[in-house]
Amino acid sequence: MRDPNFVTFMPEALAEAEAAAAAGEVPVGAVVVKDGAIVARGRNRTIETSDPTAHAEIEAIRAAGARLGSDRLIDCDLWVTLEPCPMCAGAISFARIRRLYYGADDPKGGAVENGVRFFSSPSCHHVPEVYSGLEKTKSGQILREFFKVRR
């Protein structure tokens, strides 16, 4: 049974994914939450910035670190529309994110429940609580529609 005080921030991450799609980027969005409030937002910006590391999670983690003045986001939660890749899973671990909530699975590029399963690796120093499948259908739909137009 879900905690009656549970508040989802996935609609905010989905809005970031939609903004990424509108900008021609792969539609992935993320938000960092602390004490029940959004402290940072991110969306894929790899094309815009000519930076292959500008994934939604990285953008949100960077913004949260700058806003909070710390490289450790210990009491923060990350909400993202797609299962993080290996690079982003590493950043989540290094940032000491408390909880990871994500939408769609990524069987090809994911690294949480698919692929390398980064958080299960003995070299992973910090493992967040992981909750998957939140707004899974909507997250997947945004991605499918984006790629359908490009094929």
Side-chain angles (χ1 to χ4, degrees), residues 10-94:
M10 194 56 79
E12 297 295 328
L14 287 164
E16 293 297 322
E18 295 281 6
E25 300 275 1
V26 174
V28 179
V31 294
V32 175
V33 175
K34 182 174 182 174
D35 299 328
I38 294 173
V39 295
R41 297 171 179 273
R43 62 176 174 81
N44 275 4
R45 297 177 57 226
T46 60
I47 297 167
E48 176 188 334
T49 61
S50 299
D51 178 357
T53 69
H55 288 197
E57 301 94 323
I58 302 291
E59 293 288 300
I61 288 169
R62 286 176 179 159
R67 179 165 181 197
L68 299 173
S70 178
D71 64 330
R72 299 284 192 249
L73 304 177
I74 295 167
D75 295 323
C76 295
D77 302 331
L78 178 68
W79 296 76
V80 62
T81 58
L82 182 65
E83 177 182 359
C85 71
M87 173 184 68
C88 293
I92 290 164
S93 178
F94 282 115

Side-chain angles (χ1 to χ4, degrees), residues 74 76-79 97-101 128-131:
I74 295 167
C76 295
D77 302 331
L78 178 68
W79 296 76
I97 294 288
R98 176 178 57 185
R99 293 184 197 104
L100 167 65
Y101 298 91
E129 292 177 33
V130 176
Y131 302 90

